[in-house]
Amino acid sequence: MDAVRAEPPAALAWSAMEAVLNPETWFRRDRAPFTTFASEVLPAIAGVRPEGRVRIWSAGCAAGQEAYSLAMPALEDQTNVEIVATDLSQRALEKARTGIFTQFEVQRGLSARRLLNWFDQSEDMWEAKPRLRSAITFSRANLLDEPLRAAGST
């Protein structure tokens, strides 16, 4: 009877959680906020920050497309940017860290100009250039944890 009441092994619990998390994301998802971010918000924040340094938190970053979408205009404008991107899914974070996306993934939201400026093609995959990847730190965080210390979690 005790075996039935026992807590499931942690690996099983995490596997179940990974299975139900929503991995849906794409580049420049909801174009209007990303356009406003690039043209108004980012310049305003950079203008009042010491040395123009801007730190951005991308919570629930999934496979990283939204974090990469925030980094591109910042780097294009020579903004000193650091993006901390967090998610609960270890599988999504592993993909995000590689910066490698399929043709289908990059065509969802990236202009041809941005694609060619920020990604290198390797057969049918596209890999984020090192400068883009280095602007983002991916880490695991549960938004329900108290206190949330996303920048240092693994």
Side-chain angles (χ1 to χ4, degrees):
M1 231 13 167
D2 288 335
V4 174
R5 291 188 195 136
E7 292 290 319
L12 177 61
W14 277 111
S15 293
M17 197 172 325
E18 289 275 352
V20 298
L21 292 173
N22 181 2
E24 185 65 22
T25 185
W26 57 86
F27 291 95
R28 291 180 48 86
R29 183 177 181 167
D30 301 325
R31 286 185 191 272
F34 282 97
T35 300
T36 301
F37 168 78
S39 65
E40 298 175 32
V41 176
L42 186 61
I45 294 171
V48 298
R49 302 292 300 164
E51 300 173 19
R53 185 169 187 250
V54 177
R55 292 190 76 208
I56 300 168
W57 178 24
S58 176
C61 71
Q65 289 98 318
E66 292 165 357
Y68 287 112
S69 296
L70 293 168
M72 285 182 253
L75 294 171
E76 289 165 358
D77 290 340
Q78 305 299 312
T79 301
N80 181 5
V81 68
E82 175 190 358
I83 298 174
V84 175
T86 61
D87 201 276
L88 185 58
S89 171
Q90 191 62 41
R91 185 180 325 141
L93 290 168
E94 287 168 7
K95 177 174 176 49
R97 284 184 188 109
T98 70
I100 299 173
F101 300 96
T102 66
Q103 180 67 42
F104 176 74
E105 290 168 322
V106 297
Q107 73 187 17
R108 291 178 74 190
L110 281 182
S111 67
R113 180 184 62 81
R114 278 220 166 106
L115 176 62
L116 296 174
N117 283 346
W118 292 108
F119 291 84
D120 292 318
Q121 187 172 17
S122 176
E123 297 182 23
D124 60 340
M125 303 297 280
W126 291 86
E127 183 175 0
K129 292 184 178 182
R131 182 172 174 233
L132 180 59
R133 284 199 326 269
S134 68
I136 307 167
T137 301
F138 292 99
S139 63
R140 188 176 213 173
N142 183 344
L143 298 178
L144 298 178
D145 285 350
E146 288 187 37
L148 180 61
R149 299 184 202 286
S153 58
T154 57

